[in-house]
Each structure stands twice: as structure tokens, then as C-alpha cells.
């Protein structure tokens, strides 16, 4: 990167995992670490159905016992066509029952999980052999709700009528008010009607109608236990239906306060609003469904429970069906493995899919990146850990293909030991308009990207170190060769990466003249020292060449690199006013790319320490860094910290990151800055915006080098898809290798069955 830091059905798969055999000391250390049992959990994802042109109004959406979905619209009854995860369907006219298309159907509901309709003449259904047919006297009726024993209440927005199979009918109206919503309470056998300013009930056992005037601006309501929850354009209130009095204060600390719909599903309140939908959790916080990751539009019109356990959220732009699929982290990994291989491998690189519209990734192209070497290193390391755990031939082949690309980064350019940023076939990159980065290769078929940074270098060394340690085949030797190749270049060039022009690259600088020129609080002084010590240790560990060990101790003993890397993280901050401009630029705010470089580099720093004394110091530095990162609940940082064998590394938060990460990795627009349920904090150097970090599925798709506290991301709505290779698979497979995430646990084992 350029620093500074400016289908779908899941098949539960049971496998037998073959672990590499650790030595006795490693077994003892691993036994002391906590382990996350990979039991099934509910993973949510969305199946979306867009509305066709010509349909201007939608009102209700329901699913019947056959899992058929119907939607009420101004063009009559619609049904879903096609649609699966990442492949949206559409809402089309339902022609299944020809008589239904001829009737003036304006409202619908369900009774006993069967569709029930209201037209200008009657309440009726095609279920029960079409027997239910109850005539009414409201020719403009467009709302219907079911009770018990084929009881129904209908309304045209002003008048009300009760029709029943076995009870006397009734008609009436709200007192100078408009009906906004209706529901039925089976415990009291009452229908409740909500107006904009009032609340009324109708007792089906006595035919008694009672009106209570309680407020204004009401929009929707739900029965939650023995209380009524009433939404408005400024939050919601809770009311005791017996006394008619409000319980507590108005609730407005919500993701969005303009409530459009409320319902209770399995004892949990779901809210629709003008800015998405949200569910109230038991801990008082919310799960927020905003944007096209979840919904075709953000103005929610109706929410209902599907008979398959999904939740139907109808918006002005179509239907979002939130599916809750039981799976383990291993099942999720299997999906992401396929996602990477299907859409994100470019010449063996781990790449991003770009240049498509509205989430249609089948129209996208694979893009080169300044960080092809880094993103691929992280994916490659993940596949090394996967192979170490499972002995998967697929993982082994993935490693081979990515290593082919990594080796070509060195061989495609004329500079000995210098890794290119990337490469592509000639003619597909405008070399003339980016002459600093793109260069012609001696092979006329290829161009290569120069100006390689320290980000790529540390990524290379991380992946090669893991491969050299854990592979026992030709890949081990290939990895050691590249370790020696890269580090020989750096040592030979006085601790710089030197480009095609004979000059050091902007960021490939580990020489003391550069590193120690920075004031002590500037992050580059610490990060560059930490990274290069880890890189040199890795090179010595696998090559045995004394030049690497000698250079390491020279930097630590004669140039203060050990002191640099041990400097506490809370001392990193902005450069003083009298510092040079470069140092000021480097320290304008916290650099999250540096975090990624630190933690990727900790593998070589800690794993290949020269002695126990140094390793103890490195452990202190790693845990100090982890402590300051803890608010981010970053899955990779937490699992990387387990490398030090400390039992305290926020394993639960790491598992939370993996579970809560969305399956959909498309760059949909995300907005959270408007939310009233978040506790915002004052602007600060770390750019932390809220007291607690949001779950990954409520924020933008981002790699590990981004600010987890960034609340909004607008402008690239559905135009790119990121690869799970570095974002998700690396922390998962590293956790599996380190033994802090178990192999998948069968559901019967969770329930204590044999």
C-alpha cells in the first residue's frame, strides 16, 4: 500500500482434521491456551428481491406454510422470482390463481400460515379448498388482520369492520383518526387498532369497542408480552394496555428514530425505519440492517416472520429476506475458500474484483494492486496453516500457485533480490501514465510494478517463514530461497530496498539514518525497527547465515533498535512542532496500516527470536501493542497475540469477529454516523469514534489495515468485492493451527450426546 494510512445452501461438512505433531514443550504451552469450541451458530445473510418498474407501492410481505412468499402491491399480489445469496431475484405478478388476478385485492395477511386476502367485497383465501369467504361493507378496505377461529378485522384507513365465521359482525371507526396498524392479542381475544393519535381495542367476546387517546405521531405497534410497543416518528413508547398508561420514558436511543413498522418475532422486537431495520437484543443493543448488503432500499414498510425461520423485510425498493443459517466457523471457511478460488485469483495473486455495478460481480474484472504481494502473502500464510492442520491437497495446490506468483515478482524485474509490487500482461496497463510504478519487462509480454514498500516486504517474510517452518516439501526450499533473496538485497543495499533507478523506494527504508531521524514518538521509528529485526531473525533462522545475525545485533546494540521496538505504544503520537515535515506527515493520526505490519511481523519477531531473553522482551512488546488495540476486537490481532502463549488474548472477541463478519464482501455503502444508540467519544489521535466498535456486518468491508471505528463508507456502492483470503481465512486458519479454535464440533456433541 501507499503509506501513510490516508446456491446458496450451506452443507455441513464433517471432516477428520490431521494436526501437525508439536513437540512436548509446544504441547504443554498449547494446553494452557483457551480454546474456542467451533459449535454451530446462526449466521445471517440476505436474499434480495428487487421490484420491477411500473410498481410504485408495496405494503405487506408474508410467507405461507409452503414457504411461498407473496407481496401486496398497487398492482395486486406479487411473488418472488429466482433469488439466492448474492444473486438478487425480482418481485413479479403472481398469476398462480387466475381468479386472484381478476379480483381487486388490496390487502393481505396470513392465518394458520395460509394467505388470506381482502378485496372490495370479501375476506377470502385459496386455502381450505377456498371455503373462507366473508363478505364485508368496506369497498376500499386495504388492511386485514386475523384473529382466532377465522375472525378478521379489516379497515379502509378510517372505518373498521369485524367479520367472523362464527361470531356476530361489528363495524365502527376510530374517533377522528386514521388507522395506521392493527394486531390481535390471543390471550385477551382483542383486536387492537392504532391511529396516528389514538389506540382502540375490540373485544371479540363482548363486541365492546374502546378508544384510548394517548399521544400523536404514531406509526406502528407490536404486542410484546403483556405490553404494547408503539412506534412514532421520534422513537417508541411502551404502554400498559389495561391501564392505557405509558410505561417508562420514550425510547429514542435507536439506530434510527423515525419508526415505520414494529413486530415481535420469537420474543424479540424488530423495528423498521426510514433508515433500515434493526432488532433489539437481550442486552439492550441492536442488530442493524442497513444498506444493500441487507435490503434493496432503506425505507422499511413491513416486517414479518417467515415459516422457514427467516425474516422478511419489505422496503420501498423491494424485499430483503434475512436468512439465519446454522453453521460452524469451519462451514463458513469452506464457503470463503470457494469465494476466493472462484472470483479472486489473478495469476495466483489474491486480488480484488472491481468495476461492476449494483453488486453484479459476474461483470467485474480482477484488479492489480500496490499490495498484491501483501494480500497474497496473507492468503498464502493462511493456506500454509490450513495445510498444516488438515493436510489438504487443495490447500497445498493453492500454496503452489500463489508461490508461483510470488517468485515471479522477483524474476520479472532486472533488480537482483527486489520484489515487484505486481505484474500484468503488456498492453493492459497504461505504463506511460504511471511511469514511477509501471515498468516494461525484458519479456515483451509483461509489465511490472515498482516502488515496492515495507508493507510488501514484511508480508513476504511472514508467509515464507510460515511456509519454511511448516512445509516439508519443495515449497520449504522455495520459501527459504526467497527469504535469502529478499534479505540479501536489503543487507547488500545498506538496509534499503533499492528500485530500478538505483534509489531506495519511498517506504522500503530500515537504515538507521532514516529510522532514527524520526522523533521517538513517531510510529515509523518503532515499526521499522520491529519489522526489520523480525525479518533478519527469520532469515538467520532458516539460512544460518551469520550476516543476518550480525546485522540484527548491530542494529539493536549500536543503533537502538531494541529500544525502538520496545517503546510502549501509548508513547506513539504526533510529532512536535519543531519536527521535520516528513515526521509530521507520518504522525498526523494513528496508522492502522502500521498495525497490520506490526502483527504480521510478530510471527518472525517472536517465533524466531535468538534467545529466551529476547523472546520475553518481544512478548512484552506484542502484548503492550495488543492492549492498546483491544477496543477494535480485531480477529487477526487477537489470534496473533496467542502466538506468545499468553492465555489472555481476547479469544471470545476473535471468535466474535469471525462469526459476525458478513458473508457478503461487496463494498456496499454503509452509514452509521446518524445512529442514536451509539456512544460517541471526542476526536482523538487513534480516530476512534465510538466507545464500542460495531460488529463487522454493520460496518464497511475492510481489510485489517483499516480503522475499525470508521462509521460511514459512501461512494462505491456495490462496485467491488474483496477477497476473504486475507480478511477472514488467515485469522481462522492461524487460530486452527495455534490450537485456539477447535475443529468443527458436531451438534450432537454440543448437546452432550455420543
Amino acid at each position: 500500500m501507499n503509506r501513510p494510512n490516508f446456491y446458496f445452501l450451506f452443507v455441513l461438512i464433517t471432516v477428520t482434521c490431521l494436526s501437525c505433531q508439536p513437540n512436548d514443550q509446544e504441547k504443554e504451552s498449547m494446553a494452557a491456551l483457551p480454546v474456542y469450541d467451533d459449535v454451530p451458530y446462526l449466521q445471517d445473510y440476505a436474499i434480495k428481491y428487487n421490484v420491477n418498474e411500473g410498481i410504485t407501492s408495496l405494503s405487506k410481505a408474508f410467507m405461507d406454510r409452503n414457504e411461498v412468499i407473496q407481496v401486496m402491491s398497487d398492482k395486486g399480489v406479487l411473488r418472488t422470482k429466482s433469488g439466492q445469496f448474492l444473486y438478487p431475484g425480482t418481485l413479479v405478478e403472481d398469476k398462480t390463481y387466475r381468479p386472484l388476478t381478476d379480483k381487486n385485492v388490496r390487502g393481505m395477511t396470513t392465518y394458520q400460515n395460509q394467505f388470506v386476502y381482502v378485496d372490495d367485497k370479501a375476506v377470502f383465501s385459496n386455502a381450505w379448498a377456498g371455503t373462507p369467504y366473508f363478505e364485508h361493507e368496506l369497498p376500499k378496505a386495504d388492511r386485514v388482520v386475523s384473529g382466532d377461529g377465522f375472525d378478521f378485522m379489516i379497515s379502509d384507513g378510517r372505518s373498521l369492520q369485524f367479520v367472523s365465521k362464527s361470531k356476530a359482525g361489528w363495524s365502527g371507526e376510530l374517533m377522528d383518526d386514521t388507522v395506521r396498524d392493527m394486531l390481535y392479542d390471543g390471550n385477551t381475544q382483542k383486536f387492537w387498532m392504532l391511529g396516528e393519535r389514538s389506540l382502540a381495542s375490540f373485544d371479540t367476546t363482548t363486541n365492546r369497542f374502546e378508544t384510548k387517546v394517548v399521544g400523536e405521531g404514531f406509526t406502528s405497534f407490536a404486542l410484546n408480552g403483556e405490553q404494547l410497543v408503539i412506534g412514532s416518528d421520534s422513537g417508541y413508547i411502551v404502554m400498559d394496555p389495561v391501564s392505557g398508561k405509558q410505561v417508562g420514558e420514550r425510547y429514542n436511543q435507536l439506530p434510527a428514530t423515525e419508526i415505520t413498522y414494529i413486530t415481535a418475532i420469537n420474543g424479540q422486537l424488530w423495528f423498521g425505519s426510514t433508515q433500515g431495520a434493526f432488532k433489539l437484543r437481550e442486552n439492550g443493543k441492536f442488530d442493524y440492517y442497513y444498506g444493500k448488503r441487507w435490503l434493496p432500499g432503506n425505507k422499511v414498510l413491513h416486517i414479518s416472520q417467515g415459516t422457514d425461520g427467516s425474516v422478511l423485510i419489505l422496503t420501498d425498493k423491494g424485499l430483503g429476506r434475512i436468512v439465519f443459517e446454522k453453521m460452524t466457523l469451519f462451514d463458513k471457511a469452506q464457503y470463503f475458500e470457494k469465494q476466493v478460488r472462484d472470483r479472486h485469483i489473478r495469476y495466483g495473486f489474491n486480488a480484488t474484483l472491481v468495476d461492476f455495478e449494483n453488486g453484479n460481480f459476474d461483470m467485474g474484472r480482477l484488479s492489480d494492486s500496490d499490495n498484491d504481494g501483501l494480500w497474497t502473502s496473507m492468503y498464502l500464510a493462511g493456506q500454509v496453516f490450513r495445510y498444516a492442520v488438515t493436510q489438504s491437497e487443495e490447500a497445498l495446490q493453492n500454496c503452489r500457485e500463489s508461490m508461483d506468483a510470488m517468485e515471479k515478482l522477483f524474476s520479472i524485474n532486472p533488480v537482483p533480490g527486489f520484489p515487484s509490487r505486481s505484474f500484468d500482461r503488456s498492453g493492459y496497463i497504461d505504463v506511460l501514465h504511471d511511469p514511477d510504478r509501471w515498468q516494461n519487462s525484458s519479456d515483451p509480454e509483461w509489465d511490472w510494478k515498482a516502488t515496492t514498500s515495507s508493507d510488501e516486504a514484511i508480508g513476504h517474510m511472514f508467509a515464507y517463514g510460515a511456509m519454511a517452518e511448516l512445509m516439508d516439501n519443495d515449497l520449504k526450499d522455495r520459501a527459504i530461497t526467497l527469504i535469502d533473496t529478499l534479505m540479501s538485497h536489503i543487507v547488500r543495499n545498506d538496509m534499503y530496498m533499492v528500485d530500478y533507478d538505483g534509489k531506495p523506494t519511498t517506504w522500503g527504508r530500515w537504515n538507521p539514518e532514516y529510522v532514527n531521524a524520526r522523533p521517538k514518538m513517531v510510529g515509523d521509528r518503532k515499526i521499522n525497527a520491529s519489522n526489520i529485526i523480525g525479518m533478519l531473525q527469520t532469515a538467520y533462522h532458516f539460512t544460518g547465515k551469520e550476516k543476518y545475525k550480525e546485522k540484527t545485533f548491530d542494529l539493536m546494540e549500536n543503533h537502538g533498535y531494541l529500544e525502538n521496538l520496545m517503546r510502549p505504544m501509548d508513547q506513539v503520537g504526533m510529532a512536535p512542532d519543531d519536527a521535520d515535515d516528513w515526521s509530521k506527515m507520518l504522525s498526523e493520526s494513528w496508522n492502522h496500516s502500521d498495525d497490520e505490519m506490526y502483527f504480521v511481523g510478530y510471527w518472525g519477531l517472536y517465533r524466531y527470536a535468538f534467545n529466551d531473553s529476547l523472546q520475553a522482551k518481544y512478548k512484552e512488546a506484542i502484548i503492550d501493542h495488543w492492549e492498546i488495540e483491544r477496543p477494535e476486537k480485531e480477529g487477526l490481532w487477537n489470534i496473533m497475540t496467542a502466538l506468545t502463549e499468553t492465555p489472555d488474548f481476547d479469544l471470545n472477541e476473535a471468535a466474535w469477529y469471525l462469526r459476525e463478519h458478513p458473508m457478503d464482501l461487496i463494498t456496499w455503502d454503509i452509514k452509521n454516523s446518524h445512529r442514536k444508540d451509539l456512544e460517541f467519544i471526542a476526536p482523538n489521535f487513534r480516530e476512534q469514534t465510538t466507545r464500542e466498535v460495531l460488529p463487522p456486518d454493520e460496518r464497511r468491508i475492510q481489510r485489517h489495515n483499516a480503522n475499525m471505528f470508521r462509521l460511514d463508507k459512501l461512494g462505491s456502492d456495490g462496485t467491488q468485492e474483496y477477497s476473504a483470503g486475507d480478511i477472514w481465512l488467515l485469522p481462522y486458519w492461524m487460530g486452527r493451527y495455534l490450537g485456539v479454535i477447535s475443529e468443527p464440533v458436531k451438534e450432537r456433541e454440543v448437546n452432550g450426546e455420543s
Side-chain angles (χ1 to χ4, degrees):
M1 72 202 61
N2 289 322
R3 295 173 53 235
N5 182 35
F6 307 126
Y7 232 95
F8 182 73
L9 292 176
F10 289 105
V11 179
L12 294 179
I13 302 171
T14 301
V15 297
T16 299
C17 295
L18 303 177
S19 299
C20 291
Q21 297 300 313
N23 59 41
D24 291 341
Q25 183 178 358
E26 288 176 330
K27 285 182 179 179
E28 184 177 346
S29 298
M30 291 166 60
L33 294 178
V35 178
Y36 172 76
D37 288 327
D38 188 17
V39 299
Y41 68 98
L42 290 178
Q43 173 70 53
D44 52 355
Y45 60 90
I47 299 175
K48 292 163 286 189
Y49 304 89
N50 298 313
V51 65
N52 283 335
E53 293 184 5
I55 298 173
T56 59
S57 176
L58 305 172
S59 59
K60 303 286 183 180
F62 295 100
M63 180 187 290
D64 74 358
R65 63 181 295 270
N66 304 308
E67 300 184 7
V68 174
I69 297 173
Q70 288 188 340
V71 175
M72 194 69 242
S73 79
D74 61 333
K75 301 298 183 182
V77 178
L78 310 177
R79 69 178 293 153
T80 55
K81 175 185 177 183
S82 303
Q84 56 182 306
F85 178 55
L86 298 180
Y87 290 90
T90 55
L91 299 176
V92 298
E93 182 182 0
D94 191 335
K95 299 180 179 180
T96 309
Y97 285 89
R98 187 167 62 181
L100 191 64
T101 63
D102 295 333
K103 290 180 177 291
N104 186 25
V105 177
R106 301 183 64 185
M108 66 179 296
T109 188
T110 58
Y111 177 64
Q112 295 179 355
N113 291 327
Q114 301 280 14
F115 295 127
V116 176
Y117 313 97
V118 60
D119 67 0
D120 52 358
K121 298 178 181 178
V123 175
F124 67 96
S125 176
N126 293 319
W128 304 283
T131 300
Y133 191 86
F134 310 107
E135 293 184 348
H136 64 74
E137 299 172 354
L138 300 179
K140 294 184 179 181
D142 59 359
R143 299 154 210 208
V144 57
V145 63
S146 61
D148 296 326
F150 289 93
D151 294 346
F152 300 94
M153 184 68 74
I154 65 172
S155 175
D156 59 7
R158 175 73 63 176
S159 299
L160 297 160
Q161 185 173 352
F162 172 67
V163 297
S164 173
K165 179 180 180 180
S166 58
K167 299 173 185 175
W170 171 89
S171 61
E173 63 180 35
L174 290 185
M175 185 184 301
D176 191 29
D177 205 350
T178 300
V179 177
R180 295 300 303 266
D181 203 357
M182 302 187 297
L183 59 80
Y184 178 73
D185 181 0
N187 292 327
T188 61
Q189 300 183 57
K190 288 182 179 180
F191 283 97
W192 289 90
M193 285 67 65
L194 182 73
E196 293 180 352
R197 300 177 302 280
S198 64
L199 183 71
S201 66
F202 174 77
D203 191 323
T204 62
T205 63
T206 64
N207 272 26
R208 181 186 178 189
F209 181 78
E210 184 179 4
T211 300
K212 302 178 187 292
V213 179
V214 293
E216 61 182 16
F218 298 147
T219 56
S220 181
F221 69 152
L223 189 65
N224 188 36
E226 297 180 353
Q227 295 180 324
L228 287 170
V229 181
I230 303 175
S232 71
D233 54 9
S234 58
Y236 72 90
I237 63 172
V238 176
M239 199 196 85
D240 180 357
V242 176
S243 66
K245 295 182 178 180
Q246 182 174 325
V247 179
E249 301 297 321
R250 177 177 295 271
Y251 294 86
N252 52 25
Q253 301 300 303
L254 311 173
T257 57
E258 192 172 352
I259 305 300
T260 57
Y261 196 80
I262 307 178
T263 190
I265 298 176
N266 296 327
Q268 293 181 305
L269 286 172
W270 283 76
F271 298 84
S273 75
T274 55
Q275 298 190 80
F278 45 96
K279 177 183 69 175
L280 178 61
R281 301 201 303 258
E282 291 181 0
N283 62 3
K285 298 178 182 179
F286 296 92
D287 291 329
Y288 189 32
Y289 298 90
Y290 174 96
K292 292 180 182 177
R293 176 183 296 161
W294 302 107
L295 307 170
N298 282 320
K299 184 178 181 180
V300 176
L301 307 173
H302 183 247
I303 303 174
S304 67
Q305 182 178 16
T307 55
D308 63 350
S310 65
V311 173
L312 307 182
I313 303 177
L314 186 65
T315 76
D316 58 338
K317 304 295 183 182
L319 176 68
R321 178 177 161 225
I322 310 301
V323 179
F324 298 90
E325 186 85 18
K326 187 176 288 188
M327 65 175 63
T328 61
L329 293 180
F330 177 77
D331 297 320
K332 194 170 184 176
Q334 295 302 98
Y335 167 73
F336 278 142
E337 292 287 358
K338 188 177 187 305
Q339 185 249 16
V340 175
R341 303 311 299 182
D342 186 43
R343 300 192 291 276
H344 292 281
I345 299 300
R346 186 185 75 91
Y347 304 132
F349 291 126
N350 176 42
T352 300
L353 203 65
V354 302
D355 290 352
F356 53 86
E357 295 181 359
N358 203 30
N360 185 7
F361 54 71
D362 287 333
M363 304 299 292
R365 69 173 179 87
L366 288 165
S367 175
D368 69 274
S369 164
D370 276 3
N371 291 105
D372 276 341
L374 176 58
W375 308 145
T376 306
S377 294
M378 297 173 76
Y379 169 63
L380 176 57
Q383 293 302 295
V384 170
F385 295 132
R386 178 188 175 194
Y387 178 74
V389 171
T390 67
Q391 299 295 295
S392 163
E393 287 298 321
E394 179 183 84
L396 181 60
Q397 182 59 26
N398 295 344
C399 289
R400 293 189 188 283
E401 292 181 13
S402 288
M403 272 299 279
D404 288 343
M406 299 295 279
E407 288 172 331
K408 191 166 183 174
L409 289 174
F410 288 85
S411 64
I412 199 171
N413 71 69
V415 184
F418 182 81
S420 311
R421 283 188 183 270
S422 185
F423 57 77
D424 209 335
R425 294 189 184 276
S426 296
Y428 292 91
I429 300 294
D430 192 352
V431 175
L432 295 178
H433 284 80
D434 195 2
D436 290 333
R437 279 188 171 83
W438 282 100
Q439 302 293 315
N440 296 124
S441 168
S442 58
D443 183 342
E445 180 67 15
W446 296 96
D447 295 325
W448 63 281
K449 186 180 281 191
T451 71
T452 307
S453 78
S454 54
D455 306 62
E456 279 68 62
I458 192 61
H460 281 265
M461 295 300 291
F462 166 53
Y464 302 152
M467 180 174 285
E469 179 180 351
L470 303 180
M471 292 289 195
D472 189 20
N473 49 41
D474 63 297
L475 287 173
K476 178 184 184 76
D477 294 334
R478 292 167 65 181
I480 294 173
T481 296
L482 291 186
I483 289 171
D484 194 26
T485 299
L486 174 57
M487 294 310 297
S488 287
H489 171 93
I490 293 172
V491 172
R492 181 173 61 251
N493 287 287
D494 199 18
M495 308 312 294
Y496 292 107
M497 276 201 299
V498 174
D499 215 332
Y500 68 95
D501 57 2
K503 299 177 182 178
T505 65
T506 301
W507 302 110
R509 299 167 181 252
W510 300 274
N511 186 288
E513 289 185 359
Y514 172 84
V515 173
N516 289 336
R518 313 278 75 80
K520 290 183 178 181
M521 76 290 294
V522 175
D524 266 41
R525 184 161 180 155
K526 179 177 171 69
I527 180 63
N528 284 32
S530 179
N531 276 182
I532 196 61
I533 295 303
M535 292 161 67
L536 289 165
Q537 286 183 163
T538 302
Y540 176 75
H541 183 86
F542 291 107
T543 69
K545 294 184 177 180
E546 288 296 324
K547 64 179 179 179
Y548 299 127
K549 188 173 186 179
E550 291 171 0
K551 179 53 69 174
T552 305
F553 281 105
D554 174 52
L555 293 174
M556 289 195 296
E557 295 173 354
N558 300 322
H559 299 283
Y561 275 38
L562 182 59
E563 177 186 351
N564 286 345
L565 73 86
M566 291 298 297
R567 184 164 293 110
M569 274 292 175
D570 61 10
Q571 294 183 15
V572 173
M574 299 180 69
D577 292 340
D578 60 353
D580 61 285
D581 291 341
W582 189 258
S583 293
K584 290 179 181 178
M585 179 274 296
L586 290 172
S587 59
E588 291 174 343
S589 63
W590 192 266
N591 193 318
H592 296 277
S593 288
D594 281 0
D595 290 329
E596 183 173 61
M597 293 170 62
Y598 276 116
F599 277 97
V600 167
Y602 288 156
W603 180 268
L605 184 69
Y606 182 84
R607 195 88 167 179
Y608 312 129
F610 290 134
N611 54 58
D612 292 344
S613 176
L614 282 174
Q615 190 174 65
K617 290 181 179 295
Y618 300 154
K619 179 176 181 177
E620 179 184 340
I622 294 169
I623 292 177
D624 171 72
H625 187 183
W626 168 76
E627 285 283 0
I628 208 167
E629 295 294 328
R630 294 181 73 181
E632 294 189 3
K633 299 183 181 181
E634 223 289 353
L636 183 55
W637 300 172
N638 289 333
I639 289 173
M640 277 281 196
T641 302
L643 179 70
T644 67
E645 301 168 347
T646 177
D648 301 318
F649 58 91
D650 286 351
L651 174 60
N652 288 337
E653 307 296 8
W656 171 85
Y657 170 92
L658 294 171
R659 289 194 309 269
E660 293 291 325
H661 205 284
M663 308 287 291
D664 183 345
L665 301 188
I666 294 172
T667 58
W668 300 111
D669 280 359
I670 295 295
K671 188 176 181 183
N672 289 290
S673 58
H674 62 279
R675 295 174 61 167
K676 306 299 184 184
D677 61 319
L678 304 180
E679 183 181 354
F680 292 86
I681 63 176
N684 53 82
F685 179 68
R686 287 186 58 83
E687 298 183 324
Q688 180 175 338
T689 54
T690 55
R691 185 69 59 191
E692 292 187 17
V693 71
L694 290 171
D697 63 355
E698 295 181 17
R699 58 190 191 228
R700 61 175 177 153
I701 293 298
Q702 58 193 67
R703 293 188 169 92
H704 301 288
N705 66 329
N707 181 4
M708 301 298 167
F709 283 92
R710 182 173 176 181
L711 297 176
D712 300 341
K713 179 64 172 71
L714 305 175
S716 58
D717 202 18
T719 61
Q720 299 183 27
E721 185 189 49
Y722 282 21
S723 167
D726 52 294
I727 294 174
W728 198 93
L729 290 174
L730 172 57
Y732 171 74
W733 286 116
M734 176 178 278
R736 287 290 306 276
Y737 171 73
L738 294 176
V740 298
I741 299 175
S742 78
E743 63 183 77
V745 180
K746 298 177 184 178
E747 192 164 10
R748 63 175 179 269
E749 294 173 349
V750 176
N751 296 329
E753 300 175 11
S754 60

